[in-house]
Amino acid sequence: CPKTVGTIYQSSHTGCDPAHNHPKTRPQTGAMALSTSSVTLPHWDGVSKPVTYMGPALVPPGEKMNFKVVDIPVAIRDGRAQHDLRLDTAGFELVESATRLPRDAFFVKDRNARDRSVVEQYYPECSSLVKATTGAAKVIAFDHNVRQASVNLFADRGKDDATSSGTTVDGAVKFVHNDYTDKSGPQRVRDFSIAGGSYTVNGALLSEVEAEQVLRGRYAFINVWRALNVADDVPLAVCDARSMSEDDFVGNTLVYPERVGETHVIAHRAEHQWSFFPRMHRGEALLLKCWDSHRVAGKARFTAHTAFQNPAAAPGVPPRESIEVRCLAIFDADASEIGVSAVQGSKL
């Protein structure tokens, strides 16, 4: 079962499958920890139109491809020294959780072969981890990104960028955001009932009846974020949901060639409390609650997060490598068989 890093906390959920037990690893801190309490985080400027066109050809005349981003100085704390950062309250949680896949498995030059391996071998690990941590009745992993900090996120939306070794990867997302909104969260569940609702899993993830069943109960989208090397230069900053208001989350329209989606950009406030976890590594995972249908006072529904440049990183450290897997967590007690007949395995 997962163990929360930085405390003697053991998951209280009893549904952990021993076959998916994750080896415990000792958290690393020390030399590369941030030496200052202040960093700059890239935010939406609060003025420009919050829209992102997912390709140069989609940008209307007179508009920009993306909203304007400004660097804002913020205080940031070492998350490893805090003992109250839980998924349901802060919106994120760091857990000790090893993966059976070696680092090189995520950087196979043939992207289709790499993604097939991730779907078939790594997705089940992530589903088990989220289920054990949250107590969800059913968890379905459905999408992922492998990233390297040296790659430009918006270099060319029509092509895959590549590392120096020729492996195609995505760049780090260097602006404060959250992945789902009250519009796009439910829509994503509906999309799972049609082929193509997942970019990486073949066929429909849910039947139409199952999608409607999910929408009637409690469900959440949770990201499993893992560093694949020691993340020093461009780690991930996360904002404590208890320091935020839902009004801080502003809809950002994503315009694709075939559809329109929506994420959040964040309106900065001085009250926001930011943390990061120094020297994250492959033996641990950061869970982010990106959307929760459950509206309960004191419970997190969204999590603002961003990659940022660590001023304490030593010159010449390898660029951060990471993977995030997006998971649908379903809390309906009758959900254990949802999606069983629909999932056909990797489409790659």
Side-chain angles (χ1 to χ4, degrees):
C1 292
K3 177 183 175 185
T4 298
V5 172
T7 71
I8 311 299
Y9 171 83
Q10 184 74 33
S11 174
S12 60
H13 300 296
T14 58
C16 181
D17 181 354
H20 293 96
N21 230 358
H22 299 277
K24 297 183 178 70
T25 57
R26 186 174 182 175
Q28 300 182 32
T29 57
M32 295 302 295
L34 206 63
S35 60
T36 174
S37 62
S38 180
V39 298
T40 58
L41 296 184
H43 281 74
W44 169 55
D45 68 350
V47 176
S48 57
K49 182 180 178 181
V51 61
T52 301
Y53 296 97
M54 309 302 276
L58 301 173
V59 182
E63 293 201 24
K64 302 289 186 182
M65 187 170 176
N66 200 39
F67 53 85
K68 185 176 180 181
V69 173
V70 295
D71 287 332
I72 297 178
V74 303
I76 197 165
R77 299 185 293 175
D78 182 345
R80 297 187 186 276
Q82 301 174 66
H83 305 291
D84 63 342
L85 301 179
R86 298 287 181 268
L87 194 63
D88 263 351
T89 52
F92 56 92
E93 186 170 336
L94 185 69
V95 295
E96 293 183 3
S97 168
T99 173
R100 296 182 179 93
L101 271 68
R103 176 265 178 199
D104 290 350
F106 298 96
F107 289 91
V108 175
K109 288 187 177 182
D110 182 334
R111 183 164 186 162
N112 285 344
R114 179 198 73 195
D115 288 350
R116 187 181 307 115
S117 175
V118 170
V119 170
E120 294 175 357
Q121 299 182 59
Y122 187 58
Y123 277 22
E125 292 183 355
C126 294
S127 297
S128 295
L129 175 61
V130 171
K131 185 175 181 180
T133 304
T134 64
K138 177 78 175 183
V139 177
I140 301 173
F142 62 86
D143 194 10
H144 71 272
N145 293 93
V146 177
R147 302 187 188 276
Q148 188 181 86
S150 62
V151 172
N152 184 350
L153 179 66
F154 293 111
D156 188 343
R157 282 292 181 179
K159 298 179 181 179
D160 291 321
D161 288 300
T163 65
S164 57
S165 65
T167 304
T168 53
V169 295
D170 300 305
V173 182
K174 298 179 181 177
F175 58 86
V176 180
H177 67 285
N178 176 63
D179 291 12
Y180 293 99
T181 70
D182 284 337
K183 177 180 178 181
S184 61
Q187 184 58 51
R188 196 67 200 265
V189 173
R190 296 185 182 96
D191 290 344
F192 289 156
S193 66
I194 59 175
S198 165
Y199 303 129
T200 54
V201 178
N202 190 43
L205 286 170
L206 306 172
S207 69
E208 291 184 6
V209 171
E210 289 172 331
E212 290 305 315
Q213 179 183 343
V214 171
L215 291 169
R216 288 194 298 269
R218 184 195 171 196
Y219 60 100
F221 288 101
I222 296 172
N223 285 7
V224 180
W225 193 96
R226 185 186 302 273
L228 297 174
N229 56 0
V230 177
D232 282 330
D233 61 332
V234 184
L236 198 69
V238 283
C239 191
D240 194 322
R242 293 167 292 189
S243 69
M244 302 189 72
S245 162
E246 287 201 13
D247 292 340
D248 299 334
F249 294 85
V250 178
N252 174 46
T253 303
L254 305 181
V255 180
Y256 295 86
E258 72 287 353
R259 65 184 179 89
V260 175
E262 188 175 67
T263 60
H264 284 133
V265 291
I266 308 302
H268 168 71
R269 287 193 300 114
E271 292 82 0
H272 293 167
Q273 295 179 7
W274 287 94
S275 298
F276 90 116
F277 296 90
R279 294 184 62 83
M280 279 195 66
H281 57 89
R282 285 183 57 251
E284 55 193 9
L286 183 61
L287 305 185
L288 307 174
K289 187 190 287 188
C290 292
W291 193 82
D292 194 334
S293 65
H294 207 199
R295 292 179 179 270
V296 177
K299 299 291 186 180
R301 296 191 64 229
F302 313 123
T303 303
H305 57 283
T306 183
F308 75 100
Q309 201 70 41
N310 180 2
V317 296
R320 180 259 278 178
E321 298 170 345
S322 63
I323 181 171
E324 75 254 21
V325 171
R326 296 169 186 86
C327 297
L328 171 65
I330 307 167
F331 293 88
D332 186 338
D334 298 324
S336 60
E337 297 302 312
I338 282 180
V340 170
S341 61
V343 178
Q344 302 295 320
S346 170
K347 67 170 62 169
L348 303 168

